Amino acid sequence: MTQLNWGRYSGDQVEEFVAALLLLRNPKGNRITPSQGDRGVDVQIRVESGGYKFYQIKRFSGPLTGSQKKQIKGSWRTFLEQTAPRYDVVSWNIVMPHDPTNQNLEWLNSFTSSSGIEINWVGCTQLDAWAAGNPQLIDYYFGDGKSRTEELLKQALMLGQLPVSGTVDSGDQKIDALMGKIVAIQELLNEADPFYRYEFECRQGQLGALSNEIIRTSREGEVFTSVFPLNGANNNIILHVIARCVESCRLRPIALTVAFKADPGTTEYRSLQRFQEFGLPPQNIDAIISGYDGPPGGPSDGDGLVSLFELASDDDKLPLLEAKIISPDSGFPAPSVKIMNVFSGVSPFGKGQYLTFSDCGEVFKMTMFISSGELRALEVNRSVLTGRRPGDIVASIQFLAALEHGGTLTLQGRDEGVLMARLEVMATRDQKRIDGALLLKDYVESLVEIQRHVLVPVAVPSVESLSDDEVKEVIRCAHFLRGEQFVRTWDHLDLTVGDPNEFQQRMGDPGVEGMLLRRQRLMAKVGGMELDTGYILQTVCKTARIAEESRCKIYAANDVVRLVPGEDDKVVMLAVKV
C-alpha cells in the first residue's frame, strides 16, 4: 500500500490533497472555503438517507500540540453553533495525516460526546488506504501528473495530422482508423488526470452544425468541449472534458480570456446583452481567445467559436416542479404543466437573472428574464408538433394559450407543493397571436376527443399546412362527439332527384310542409385520414316545403328541386351513436 511521507509537504498541499481525495470519493460533495465562513467544516457530503457527513481537515502530521488541540476544539465549537442546527447531521469527522492515540480519542470524546453526534477521527492509515486507490491524484499533487496529461493529449491530437493507410478511402473508414489510434491515449489520459475524464469522438461536418449539436446533447458533468479540425474534408476530432466530481473546477480551475466579437443589432449582439443583463449563456459567438489555463484540450490563443452551457440545478435540492398560469381573462380553467430541465443563472455583472425550463411533454422551452423580483421578458420556443399524440401535449398547449392572456405564473412543487416563484405576466397585445393560440388549443383538444371514439391512433398533422376550414371541421366534429347540438336557421336547400317515384312519394303534395331529416356518418378528417367516429350526424329541418319555382306534377331523374323553410326556419344538427 502506498504510504505518503506527509511531513514532507506543506500544510496547504496536505489540506488540498485530502479535500480532493474526499471529494473524488464522493462526487456530489462540496468543499466549504474559508471565504464562505467554514462553520467548522471543510467538506460536506450528503448521504442517501438525506443527512450530511461533515469533514474538518487539518494539516497536522505529528503528535498534537496544545495549540493544535485548541484549533480542533475551536472548529468543533463553531460547527456545533453554526452548522449543526441547520442540517441533519450524520457525523462529524476530524481528518488529518496522523493516527490517534487512545489518549487522543479520550480527549476528543471529552468535549464531543454530549452532542449525541457520531464523531470519527480519520487518520494517516485511512488516508494512505484511500490514496492507494487514487495514484493519479498523488501523481498530480506530488509528482508530474499535470505535465503528463498535457503530453498525452498532444499525442492524441497529432494523430489527426498523420497520414492514414492508403487502403482507407472513405471518410467513415478514416474516422474508424483514427478512433482506433486515439482510444488507447484516451484510456491513458483517464488514468492520469484525477479531476477530469476525457472522451474523444471523430465526426464529419461543418463546425457550426457540430457546435449546435454539441450544445443540444451536452453530457452530464461536461465542463467544455473542443473541436479540432483534421486534414481532410470536414473531419474533426471532438474532445469532451467531463468533471469527475462537482468540485473538479475548483480543485483544478479553468481560466481563460475571451473577447467576444459581435456587431450591434445582430442576434449575437443581443445574446451577449442577455448574458450581461441576466446571465443567459450565449452560444456560437465569434471570439478571440487567449491565456487558457486548465485541463489539457482547451483552446489555444486565437480566433474561435465560443458557446457557454447552462448548468442543471441539483436534483437533490429541487423537488419535482410544475408551472401554473392563473389567467382570469382566458375564459378557461388555469392549466398546470409538469416541468423538467430547469436551469438558472445570474448576471455576472448586474442584478438580473434568468430561469429556463421545458415541459415534460417536450412541447415548449420557456426562458424568463427577471430583475428586482419582476419579470422583464419572457421567451417561449415551441417545438414541432407533427406526429405527436394529442393526449401527450394537450396540457402544454392549454398552458401556452392561457399564457397569451397574461396573469400570475407560479412555479411550485408538484401536487400543490412548496411555492418557489410567483411572477406577473403581461398579456400579449397581438390579438392575431392570441386567436391563433386559442385555435390551436381547440384543435388539439378536439383531436383528443376524436381519439376517444376511434381505434386508429390519432397523431397531430402538420398544423402549419392545415387550412382554416380543415381546423374548424375537426373542432366541429369534436363538438358533436361531446353531445353538443347546433341550432341554426336556413333559407334553402337544393336536392337532386334520384328515383322520381320515390321522390314523389316522400315529398307528397308539393304545397304541404313537412319535416326534413338527413342522416350521414360523422367522419373526422385528420391530416390525410378519414376516421369513422361510430356516430351518425342527424340534420333536422323542422319544417320544409318545395319552393314555388320548383313545383311540378311530374319529376324526372336529375331534376334539381329547391326546398325552403316552412313556418319554422330552424335546423338542428346532432350526433347519435350508431
Side-chain angles (χ1 to χ4, degrees):
M1 182 177 72
T2 302
Q3 286 187 322
L4 292 172
N5 186 354
W6 297 94
R8 291 180 52 192
Y9 310 120
S10 70
D12 287 342
Q13 281 182 299
V14 169
E15 290 185 357
E16 287 289 328
F17 176 79
V18 172
L21 198 57
L22 280 167
L23 291 166
L24 289 167
R25 287 176 56 82
N26 303 274
K28 289 192 175 183
N30 298 103
R31 184 171 187 188
I32 309 301
T33 63
S35 61
Q36 295 172 280
D38 66 5
R39 301 193 192 96
V41 173
D42 281 312
V43 172
Q44 62 183 35
I45 296 168
R46 188 171 186 178
V47 298
E48 290 185 3
S49 65
Y52 287 85
K53 293 182 178 181
F54 296 92
Y55 294 83
Q56 179 72 61
I57 302 170
K58 298 299 182 185
R59 60 184 64 186
F60 316 140
S61 58
L64 296 181
T65 65
S67 174
Q68 291 169 344
K69 287 184 176 182
K70 185 176 180 181
Q71 289 184 45
I72 294 173
K73 269 192 171 183
S75 295
W76 167 252
R77 187 165 49 250
T78 301
F79 169 78
L80 207 58
E81 294 172 355
Q82 299 184 24
T83 302
R86 302 170 63 244
Y87 289 89
D88 177 11
V89 179
V90 174
S91 65
W92 185 78
N93 305 270
I94 187 73
V95 186
M96 68 185 80
H98 174 65
D99 287 331
T101 62
N102 289 331
Q103 290 81 2
N104 289 151
L105 293 175
E106 289 175 3
W107 166 78
L108 182 63
N109 187 60
S110 68
F111 60 86
T112 60
S113 60
S114 61
S115 68
I117 296 172
E118 178 185 329
I119 307 296
N120 298 300
W121 184 312
V122 179
C124 183
T125 301
Q126 183 64 74
L127 291 177
D128 280 341
W130 287 348
N134 199 338
Q136 63 265 47
L137 189 66
I138 299 174
D139 198 22
Y140 179 84
Y141 276 99
F142 308 125
D144 64 347
K146 182 176 181 180
S147 60
R148 192 149 59 90
T149 56
E150 292 171 349
E151 180 58 32
L152 285 169
L153 183 70
K154 183 178 179 182
Q155 292 178 32
L157 297 179
M158 285 178 62
L159 288 176
Q161 312 306 320
L162 296 177
V164 183
S165 170
T167 60
V168 177
D169 298 322
S170 72
D172 289 341
Q173 288 175 317
K174 181 175 182 180
I175 288 174
D176 291 341
L178 286 172
M179 281 304 297
K181 296 180 179 181
I182 289 174
V183 164
I185 292 180
Q186 173 181 299
E187 293 175 354
L188 292 173
L189 267 172
N190 287 329
E191 290 178 4
D193 194 326
F195 303 115
Y196 297 97
R197 184 163 50 83
Y198 300 83
E199 294 182 3
F200 289 93
E201 58 176 328
C202 292
R203 298 283 297 276
Q204 288 182 307
Q206 297 287 342
L207 181 59
L210 285 175
S211 297
N212 289 329
E213 183 178 347
I214 289 168
I215 291 167
R216 291 195 307 270
T217 59
S218 59
R219 308 177 184 196
E220 183 178 0
E222 191 164 12
V223 293
F224 74 80
T225 302
S226 291
V227 180
F228 301 93
L230 303 177
N231 293 331
N234 295 328
N235 289 323
N236 306 274
I237 291 179
I238 300 177
L239 168 64
H240 303 273
V241 180
I242 300 166
R244 292 185 185 270
C245 70
V246 170
E247 296 286 358
S248 286
C249 291
R250 291 175 63 186
L251 295 170
R252 188 179 186 185
I254 299 173
L256 74 162
T257 300
V258 178
F260 291 109
K261 300 186 293 183
D263 295 326
T266 62
T267 301
E268 292 78 10
Y269 190 85
R270 182 58 182 154
S271 295
L272 292 174
Q273 284 184 316
R274 286 280 169 85
F275 177 61
Q276 183 178 12
E277 295 173 20
F278 303 103
L280 182 67
Q283 296 174 350
N284 290 334
I285 309 294
D286 289 324
I288 300 173
I289 303 166
S290 61
Y292 172 79
D293 182 19
S300 55
D301 291 356
D303 293 335
L305 195 64
V306 175
S307 295
L308 304 184
F309 293 85
E310 296 164 320
L311 291 176
S313 300
D314 188 345
D315 290 339
D316 290 335
K317 296 179 182 178
L318 277 179
L320 295 174
L321 298 177
E322 66 180 13
K324 187 173 185 178
I325 180 72
I326 303 172
S327 179
D329 297 331
S330 68
F332 50 89
S336 62
V337 291
K338 296 176 181 179
I339 62 174
M340 61 181 185
N341 298 331
V342 181
F343 299 93
S344 63
V346 297
S347 166
F349 310 104
K351 298 181 179 180
Q353 62 187 101
Y354 78 92
L355 176 68
T356 181
F357 59 84
S358 57
D359 65 307
C360 290
E362 298 183 326
V363 171
F364 66 86
K365 179 180 179 181
M366 180 179 294
T367 304
M368 297 186 289
F369 300 95
I370 305 164
S371 181
S372 301
E374 295 185 1
L375 186 65
R376 302 299 183 185
L378 181 69
E379 290 182 357
V380 179
N381 294 314
R382 200 194 75 198
S383 59
V384 176
L385 303 180
T386 305
R388 300 293 305 277
R389 293 183 179 275
D392 294 341
I393 66 172
V394 64
S396 300
I397 297 298
Q398 292 169 337
F399 177 87
L400 293 180
L403 192 68
E404 298 291 347
H405 291 84
T408 302
L409 176 64
T410 61
L411 299 182
Q412 62 188 94
R414 295 179 191 173
D415 301 321
E416 304 300 324
V418 177
L419 181 67
M420 304 194 68
R422 184 185 183 93
L423 298 165
E424 295 301 319
V425 180
M426 297 293 293
T428 302
R429 296 181 180 180
D430 185 345
Q431 188 60 44
K432 186 176 180 181
R433 180 171 154 181
I434 293 175
D435 293 343
L438 288 175
L439 188 62
L440 179 61
K441 177 187 79 74
D442 290 345
Y443 182 74
V444 174
E445 289 174 342
S446 299
L447 293 179
V448 173
E449 181 64 34
I450 290 169
Q451 181 67 86
R452 293 179 59 240
H453 300 276
V454 301
L455 296 177
V456 178
V458 175
V460 179
S462 174
V463 293
E464 290 77 10
S465 63
L466 294 174
S467 67
D468 289 345
D469 287 343
E470 288 175 309
V471 172
K472 291 176 181 177
E473 189 59 33
V474 165
I475 294 173
R476 176 174 173 269
C477 178
H479 281 300
F480 287 128
L481 292 173
R482 296 187 188 106
E484 299 176 34
Q485 295 185 5
F486 285 81
V487 179
R488 297 175 180 172
T489 60
W490 66 294
D491 56 13
H492 73 275
L493 174 65
D494 291 332
L495 297 179
T496 301
V497 177
D499 184 334
N501 293 329
E502 183 181 356
F503 179 80
Q504 187 75 46
Q505 184 179 1
R506 285 179 177 271
M507 296 305 298
D509 188 335
V512 176
E513 294 183 2
M515 183 180 72
L516 180 65
L517 172 63
R518 184 187 183 193
R519 293 166 60 89
Q520 62 189 113
R521 284 198 171 274
L522 180 61
M523 306 296 289
K525 186 176 181 181
V526 181
M529 298 189 302
E530 285 207 39
L531 307 174
D532 191 338
T533 63
Y535 278 74
I536 295 293
L537 178 61
Q538 289 191 166
T539 304
V540 182
C541 300
K542 293 191 174 182
T543 60
R545 58 184 175 83
I546 298 175
E548 294 286 345
E549 64 271 21
S550 294
R551 293 180 184 179
C552 62
K553 292 183 178 180
I554 300 175
Y555 295 96
N558 298 321
D559 281 350
V560 176
V561 179
R562 172 160 293 190
L563 302 181
V564 294
E567 291 185 0
D568 191 339
D569 63 352
K570 299 292 190 302
V571 58
V572 179
M573 303 175 71
L574 72 160
V576 294
K577 188 71 175 174
V578 175

